[in-house]
Amino acid sequence: MKYIDAMGNEHAASTDARIVSLVPSITELLCDLGLAHHLVGRTGFCIHPTDVVQAIPKIGGTKDVNIDKIRALAPTHLVVNIDENEKPTVDALAGFIPHIVVTHPNKARDNLALARLMGGVFCAEEKAEAWCRNFEVEYAALAAAPKGPPLTMLYCIWQDPWMSISSDTYIANMLAEIGWKVPDLGSAARYPRFEWSSALLDRIDGVLLSSEPYRFTELHADALEKQIGKPVQLVDGEMMSWYGSRSTKGLRYLRQLAQMAR
């Protein structure tokens, strides 16, 4: 059977794969599908599950990888993501890694196809289907949960410069599950820069500061709220942006956010 990735490439099932993952959330998913013994390399940002990934060699970051170290690991498969990894790096690795599995989940329910892709290519279909059943339970619970009023929330991922997200991102689509939308910042970028202005503040109901990739804290939230006079809330970036395994927890987290806003 052939399995199709986000670039339309076909992959056959492999029972003896040697995997390098450049995607932290997918590293976690592979481990949860019982495939940790196939992982021969991971990024330094692949931190979950802690007790499992410690035994897997680090090969750099999601963008600044050590190509020589990866070559020495003799991987058969590389797992990458369109948003998180840079094409020149992937192209260089494709010179000696036979199979490049490209992912691009952009909505909550895309996690079902992601789990089935990983489970299919790496021969863990039963565990992938079990994971999908659990996801469907959490998704149904979110759909049935009472929602508050629709809100426009500015989701911040960085400061100096300030950066947010566009509506065509996984995070924005997760927020849409509870009726929240992000403002149009007038940029074609998926992660646009912005400046604070009275016109922007007039168009939003509040601000969400993500705990990653910038490490916003409650101190940042308190200071910004005083500065702009709008509600500012710190949110768990992993719950909002990590697809794969963490997405089920993310759905529960969204229910909590919606409940707090009622």
Side-chain angles (χ1 to χ4, degrees), residues 5-24:
D5 71 10
M7 292 298 292
N9 299 319
E10 294 186 353
H11 300 273
S14 174
T15 58
D16 57 356
R18 294 176 57 80
I19 308 166
V20 167
S21 172
L22 300 187
V23 191

Side-chain angles (χ1 to χ4, degrees), residues 83 104 106 163-169 182-194:
D83 273 348
H104 186 49
N106 206 42
M163 296 179 67
S164 184
I165 60 172
S166 74
S167 60
D168 185 31
T169 56
V182 298
D184 181 356
L185 296 174
S187 169
R190 287 172 62 77
Y191 302 98
R193 297 183 181 188
F194 71 92

Side-chain angles (χ1 to χ4, degrees), residues 22 25 31 89 98 113 117 132 170 190 226 235 239:
L22 300 187
S25 53
C31 291
T89 299
L117 176 65
C132 288
Y170 182 85
R190 287 172 62 77
K226 292 175 182 176
V235 292
M239 295 295 103

Side-chain angles (χ1 to χ4, degrees), residues 117-145:
L117 176 65
M118 295 298 109
V121 173
F122 302 119
C123 299
E125 289 179 295
E126 289 187 10
K127 289 188 177 181
E129 287 304 322
W131 186 90
C132 288
R133 288 192 294 272
N134 183 52
F135 179 93
E136 291 285 25
V137 170
E138 293 295 344
Y139 191 83
L142 176 61

Side-chain angles (χ1 to χ4, degrees), residues 52 57 66 89 96 150 165 172 202 232:
V52 177
N66 187 318
T89 299
F96 60 89
I165 60 172
D202 287 343
V232 179

